[in-house]
Amino acid sequence: MPHPAPSSSAQSQSQSPERTSGVIGYQQEPGIYDEMLLPNGELRPHWKTFGSFLNQCTKSDFSVRADSIQRLLRDHGVTYNIHDDALGTSRPWSLDTLPFILALEEFQQVQRGLDQRGRLLNTILLDLYGPQKLLRDGLLPPSLVYANPGYLRPVRGINPPGGRFVFTMGSDLVRGTDGRWRVLADRAQAPSGHGYALENRIILANVYAEEFNASKVKRLAAYFEMKRDMLRSLAPKRRSGDAGILMLTPGPYNETYFEHAFKARYLGFPLVEGADLTVRDRHLHLKTLEGLRRVDVMVRHVDDVFCDPLELNSGSLLGAPGLLEAWRNGSIAIANGLGAGLVETPALHPFMPGLCRHLLGEELLLPCVPTWWCGQKRELDIVVSQPDRWVVKPAFVRGARDPVFLADLDAEQKARMLDTIRATPHEWVAQEVLSLSTAPTWTGSKIEPRSLVWRAFIIAQGDGFIAMPGGLSRVSPEPHRWLVTMRSGGISKDTWVIGDGSFDTYYESRRQQQPIVIRPARPPSGVPSRVADHLYWLGRYAERLEITVRLLRAVMQRLAGERTQTQGREVQGCLALMVRMGLVPKEGTTSMIDNLQALLLDHKRGSSVPFLLSRLRYNAAAARDRLSDDTWRLFNRIERDARLPAGPFVVSTAQGVLDTLILDLAAFSGMQQENMTRGHGWRFLEIGKRIERASIALNLVTTATKQCALDDTLLSPLLEICDSTMTYRRLHFAQPSLIPVLDLLLLNDINPRSVAHQFSILSRQTTQLPMDPTADRGESARHQCDSLQSDLSALNLDALAKAGDDIFGHVPTACENLSHGLEKLSNLITEHFFSHASRRAEG
């Protein structure tokens, strides 16, 4: 395992056009390979263009760019989730202000080594899951394979489509004091980082637009085009129609979920979870609103052992039962193949040079960090006899596990660790401590050298692999620190490969040869039922949050300033509405101010603004690949705007927060109406919104009508809460009275807040829902909408007004019946479209 050597202070060097030691205190560490500077302090040739810019910058310049990066990361919602972190699913991504720059010639050398490494690891997998000649010929010890939990016995004998287990791979590279790159670790089963690398590039190319272009940095677009084409090529040619390609994710709580959704949007493939999939007749299908759709290619972001609870991990809820059999049958291509995690073990590193010569007839171009597998007696004896030389870590482990530097342990801890290694030697590897190269990193006040790890990526192309001209680089958060991972607080860097300024031939030729296909004007299909379910509830929670905010604002406006007797009665009326909405308990000793404060601050209170925001965010995250970047920026803004400033609770301050939230939610509603494609996903969001708005209006009208039997002062705040005050004034030019208010909120279809208007939209949208000929074709939902419209139109307010007191009992009863009808409609939609107990398979 690499480890930077202790630093001693370097002597100051005179500043020149090709030196950066004078840039905000930057000083290279003696004896350590500096990625930016030569040993004499001059800029390396590939750094000169960007370095000249550095020499002109002040601390203020870097601070401004660092703030821009943070703003863009926040607006884009870039996160890296850690399950035991206090920030949970909102842990922000960390991106350094300065890039890591690499010369083109050096990148090309690394690319050749990675191509060879990808071919070698794929060949090893084909043998170990096939004839196992490597074991029979003694080139690999059986305990290295069979003791490895990454070796999946059910995969034995499977010949993966295309003869490949590995289609994409990431390798963590480090550079020692000799300037040579070495492989620290391989990520072959579900390598993460592609999306973060692209996001880093988008942000830094924005912040350093002129410097980026002047440096002639190689673009990443062609790499992702090649990846898209590679995945399409895996689909069987025997089927007509579009290939079914999707990306499998563990879900919003996975640490790299942002990347999954980002890549799905960028590549144009659906992002699904295990619950969206089912295997029928040894073929994988996606559960869509139209029925079951055949899947040809799956890009997995789920660890292989969790992909099939039937044959691999019976406790997994992340995969699809029968997936392994479908893959074994050859009906689906999986990138990467199940079982590829076998070659991620560092215990394989000592055998790589010999395996490369035996299997490929080539010398290993990209060496590994010196590694000893303790499962062999000679290696074990060396490690135990000289413990301070090594960093040890598990040979076979799933999940994050920090390595142990034996030199850092006291005598008792060291003895205990060595006893553990002796007891189960095959479970441990030891790596020699190396001095990592350093890259310049902005610390907020100056530029410092920090230890660097570069994750380089390759994808399959033809018989070999091609590398991304960049990658995900990470530096340590502190000087002289060995652990460089995002989990431990590492800082990412954009990786620039300096080119010659020429256009990428692959990208240009593909763009010119791309056939123009005009698709029929129909709604985009293939929406998974789970996604439609989340969009449906996204609409409902957005509406529920808005009405809660409006109700709280109405109360606070009446609590602020000098209160009149009328305002006091209005507050009591609003309290009745809050009870009806479940915002406050029916009976309690808590004051109104305390209740308002809890509704704005208490995350655990089921009806509070923070709780509703968390549900809104959860449903949006679960359908993130269906939402635009601007929509996601808006969600991030809503979360920020909902936070009250620290200190005592002030009604006027809370009012300002609520005013801003109403504008933000109006922006989301406008985004939905003006920017979202009118597909089935949008339709279910719209249906959820309309059901919730109608249900809330019926609840509010029920309470207000009962209150009006004693006092009609509640009508003004009711119109305000329902955003109908202006409409009422333009229609009636008078103070609110019960019958006109009921007509406006229940029956007047020109009012976009009325129940009649919601029923009209629901009727129109349910007629366009996808049909399933094996069930009731969705007719039950349409019939229920017709029934609701009929029941509402039967409400004769004029006749009730003439009947006198009957209106105070009849209207609430009618509203409650309509509420039950809406609940029935919601249940029908849920049962028919979000469940696949019996659905036909298409394709």
Side-chain angles (χ1 to χ4, degrees):
M1 183 76 179
H3 182 38
S7 172
S8 60
S9 59
Q11 295 180 349
S12 300
Q13 299 172 1
S14 60
Q15 186 173 350
S16 72
E18 295 185 357
R19 295 176 185 268
T20 61
S21 57
V23 175
I24 316 183
Y26 185 80
Q27 303 225 340
Q28 64 188 123
E29 297 184 9
I32 303 295
Y33 189 99
D34 192 293
E35 296 291 345
M36 180 174 66
L37 299 182
L38 294 166
N40 62 4
E42 293 184 359
L43 287 166
R44 296 187 184 275
H46 55 280
W47 266 90
K48 288 183 178 179
T49 300
F50 192 76
S52 63
F53 157 75
L54 292 182
N55 278 318
Q56 301 170 16
C57 285
T58 64
K59 179 179 176 180
S60 176
D61 294 328
F62 282 113
S63 296
V64 168
R65 293 177 193 260
D67 290 343
S68 297
I69 288 172
Q70 291 305 311
R71 176 182 57 80
L72 290 170
L73 288 171
R74 188 171 56 247
D75 288 347
H76 294 184
V78 188
T79 58
Y80 180 81
N81 309 328
I82 294 180
H83 300 298
D84 57 356
D85 190 275
L87 294 175
T89 58
S90 299
R91 188 176 191 266
W93 181 251
S94 180
L95 174 60
D96 184 36
T97 310
L98 299 177
F100 161 53
I101 303 180
L102 200 65
L104 178 60
E105 298 78 12
E106 188 172 21
F107 167 74
Q108 291 170 340
Q109 292 175 4
V110 172
Q111 178 172 245
R112 287 191 289 271
L114 291 173
D115 168 52
Q116 181 195 65
R117 195 171 190 88
R119 290 185 286 115
L120 175 59
L121 292 179
N122 190 70
T123 305
I124 292 172
L125 286 167
L126 288 171
D127 177 80
L128 294 180
Y129 286 116
Q132 296 192 335
K133 293 181 180 179
L134 295 177
L135 297 180
R136 288 205 303 269
D137 296 344
L139 293 170
L140 280 177
S143 55
L144 188 148
V145 176
Y146 295 127
N148 187 345
Y151 178 70
L152 305 183
R153 286 168 174 78
V155 175
R156 176 76 192 280
I158 294 180
N159 182 25
R164 280 186 184 271
F165 277 89
V166 179
F167 295 93
T168 181
M169 193 178 80
S171 294
D172 288 337
L173 307 178
V174 295
R175 196 199 301 262
T177 54
D178 60 357
R180 189 174 185 186
W181 289 105
R182 290 178 172 84
V183 177
L184 173 64
D186 294 303
R187 297 290 178 259
Q189 60 165 324
S192 63
H194 289 85
Y196 288 113
L198 180 58
E199 179 66 30
N200 287 353
R201 172 58 54 84
I202 291 171
I203 291 177
L204 240 67
N206 182 303
V207 172
Y208 290 110
E210 293 81 5
E211 295 79 14
F212 181 86
N213 289 320
S215 298
K216 301 178 181 178
V217 181
K218 297 282 287 184
R219 265 59 173 182
L220 301 182
Y223 177 85
F224 286 93
E225 289 293 339
M226 285 186 279
K227 184 170 184 177
R228 185 186 290 114
D229 290 346
M230 179 269 289
L231 293 172
R232 285 174 175 160
S233 70
L234 300 179
K237 303 297 187 293
R238 62 180 181 276
R239 290 217 302 129
S240 59
D242 294 337
I245 305 174
L246 53 78
M247 306 178 77
L248 178 66
T249 176
Y253 293 109
N254 182 261
E255 60 268 17
T256 56
Y257 179 73
F258 162 80
E259 174 180 60
H260 305 167
F262 180 67
K263 285 200 301 182
R265 288 202 312 270
Y266 190 86
L267 295 174
F269 301 138
L271 184 67
V272 305
E273 297 181 22
D276 300 327
L277 304 172
T278 185
V279 176
R280 305 285 174 87
D281 300 324
R282 297 196 297 180
H283 291 85
L284 185 67
H285 295 88
L286 174 65
K287 303 173 186 176
T288 74
L289 296 170
E290 295 90 348
L292 301 182
R293 175 158 299 184
R294 173 88 168 267
V295 179
D296 300 309
V297 181
M298 184 178 77
V299 181
R300 64 181 179 91
H301 297 291
V302 175
D303 286 353
D304 44 24
V305 74
F306 298 113
C307 285
D308 187 346
L310 192 63
E311 294 195 60
L312 299 175
N313 186 328
S314 60
S316 173
L317 300 177
L318 304 179
L323 175 62
L324 185 56
E325 177 60 23
W327 187 49
R328 184 183 289 121
N329 183 51
S331 63
I332 182 173
I334 302 178
N336 284 344
L338 302 179
L342 171 63
V343 295
E344 290 187 344
T345 173
L348 191 63
H349 290 186
F351 303 92
M352 292 288 280
L355 293 174
C356 189
R357 286 190 293 269
H358 178 77
L359 295 174
L360 303 183
E362 303 170 7
E363 291 297 324
L364 191 65
L365 298 177
L366 202 56
C368 305
V369 169
T371 305
W372 282 259
W373 178 50
C374 297
Q376 296 174 299
K377 186 179 185 309
R378 184 177 68 88
E379 284 72 9
L380 174 63
D381 292 341
I382 293 174
V383 171
V384 171
S385 63
Q386 305 174 56
D388 290 349
R389 285 181 55 192
W390 321 110
V391 53
V392 297
K393 60 183 179 180
F396 317 118
V397 63
R398 290 188 180 275
R401 184 80 64 87
D402 289 343
V404 178
F405 281 88
L406 295 178
D408 294 340
L409 305 180
D410 60 35
E412 183 180 350
Q413 292 173 329
K414 190 180 302 181
R416 209 162 39 236
M417 188 73 239
L418 292 176
D419 288 341
T420 301
I421 294 173
R422 290 190 191 97
T424 54
H426 68 280
E427 294 182 0
W428 296 93
V429 296
Q431 292 182 319
E432 192 169 331
V433 176
L434 296 180
S435 297
L436 288 174
S437 66
T438 60
T441 304
W442 174 248
T443 66
S445 59
K446 61 181 179 178
I447 299 176
E448 289 184 355
R450 295 292 174 85
S451 303
L452 174 81
V453 175
W454 169 29
R455 178 168 292 183
F457 300 102
I458 54 174
I459 54 171
Q461 188 181 57
D463 296 329
F465 293 83
I466 190 165
M468 174 193 287
L472 179 63
S473 298
R474 294 156 290 169
V475 291
S476 58
E478 301 167 1
H480 318 138
R481 182 173 175 179
W482 56 267
L483 195 56
V484 186
T485 65
M486 299 310 297
R487 182 179 178 83
S488 65
I491 304 167
S492 73
K493 277 180 170 286
D494 186 19
T495 305
W496 292 6
V497 175
I498 303 302
D500 55 8
S502 62
F503 291 105
D504 190 285
T505 55
Y506 180 91
Y507 185 74
E508 288 300 310
S509 63
R510 188 188 183 283
R511 185 176 62 84
Q512 295 172 6
Q513 297 171 8
Q514 189 76 10
I516 298 175
V517 179
I518 299 177
R519 301 288 184 182
R522 58 181 176 82
S525 60
V527 179
S529 300
R530 176 193 55 83
V531 172
D533 192 2
H534 283 295
L535 289 170
Y536 171 79
W537 281 102
L538 176 62
R540 295 201 66 163
Y541 276 112
E543 193 64 26
R544 195 174 299 180
L545 177 61
E546 181 183 345
I547 205 69
T548 299
V549 170
R550 288 184 177 277
L551 182 49
L552 293 177
R553 186 178 67 167
V555 174
M556 289 189 183
Q557 286 174 341
R558 286 155 179 82
L559 290 176
E562 186 175 337
R563 290 179 57 183
T564 65
Q565 186 177 7
T566 300
Q567 285 179 318
R569 291 199 302 270
E570 287 180 348
V571 169
Q572 291 304 311
C574 289
L575 178 61
L577 294 180
M578 293 172 72
V579 171
R580 177 77 182 192
M581 295 291 296
L583 299 179
V584 296
K586 187 173 183 180
E587 297 178 358
T589 58
T590 307
S591 69
M592 176 65 80
I593 292 295
D594 289 340
N595 272 314
L596 293 175
Q597 185 174 355
L599 287 169
L600 282 169
L601 295 173
D602 190 352
H603 290 77
K604 297 180 179 179
R605 189 160 177 164
S607 52
S608 69
V609 169
F611 175 82
L612 293 175
L613 270 172
S614 70
R615 303 312 300 164
L616 188 75
R617 177 87 180 200
Y618 169 75
N619 285 283
R624 182 163 181 171
D625 64 311
R626 305 277 167 167
L627 302 174
S628 69
D629 290 338
D630 286 336
T631 302
W632 198 255
R633 289 189 188 98
L634 185 56
F635 282 126
N636 292 327
R637 176 177 172 177
I638 291 174
E639 281 195 321
R640 294 195 302 272
D641 289 346
R643 298 171 188 158
L644 265 69
F649 181 77
V650 180
V651 171
S652 59
T653 303
Q655 255 186 279
V657 169
L658 294 173
D659 287 338
T660 303
L661 274 178
I662 287 175
L663 294 178
D664 290 343
L665 291 167
F668 169 65
S669 182
M671 196 85 71
Q672 173 209 345
Q673 293 298 328
E674 299 299 329
N675 291 8
M676 285 188 71
T677 304
R678 276 6 185 204
H680 294 316
W682 171 86
R683 184 156 293 111
F684 278 98
L685 193 158
E686 178 77 350
I687 289 173
K689 173 182 177 179
R690 300 303 170 179
I691 287 179
E692 190 69 23
R693 182 174 288 186
S695 178
I696 289 171
L698 290 169
N699 279 329
L700 295 177
V701 166
T702 297
T703 302
T705 304
K706 291 178 180 178
Q707 288 286 111
C708 284
L710 303 173
D711 186 354
D712 66 356
T713 53
L714 180 56
L715 294 178
S716 289
L718 176 65
L719 288 170
E720 181 183 322
I721 293 164
C722 294
D723 198 21
S724 299
T725 301
M726 181 184 298
T727 307
Y728 184 89
R729 288 173 180 169
R730 288 181 179 272
L731 287 174
H732 300 290
F733 302 99
Q735 289 295 319
S737 59
L738 182 59
I739 296 299
V741 168
L742 292 178
D743 177 72
L744 180 62
L745 297 183
L746 292 176
L747 303 177
N748 196 329
D749 189 44
I750 69 167
N751 179 15
R753 296 279 174 170
S754 73
V755 175
H757 189 80
Q758 314 317 310
F759 285 0
S760 175
I761 293 176
L762 286 170
S763 179
R764 185 164 65 251
Q765 295 303 335
T766 52
T767 61
Q768 300 181 61
L769 289 173
M771 294 194 234
D772 186 349
T774 65
D776 61 6
R777 301 171 64 89
E779 295 296 335
S780 55
R782 301 183 188 107
H783 290 161
Q784 182 62 18
C785 282
D786 293 341
S787 176
L788 285 169
Q789 285 187 300
S790 177
D791 292 345
L792 181 64
S793 62
L795 185 62
N796 190 330
L797 293 177
D798 290 335
L800 289 174
K802 293 176 183 178
D805 291 345
D806 286 347
I807 194 169
F808 301 114
H810 191 90
V811 170
T813 299
C815 288
E816 288 174 356
N817 289 336
L818 289 170
S819 293
H820 292 318
L822 275 173
E823 185 177 353
K824 182 179 178 181
L825 173 62
S826 178
N827 291 336
L828 287 171
I829 289 172
T830 299
E831 292 168 5
H832 182 77
F833 294 103
F834 307 150
S835 173
H836 283 258
S838 58
R839 288 296 182 94
R840 66 186 179 90
E842 295 183 353

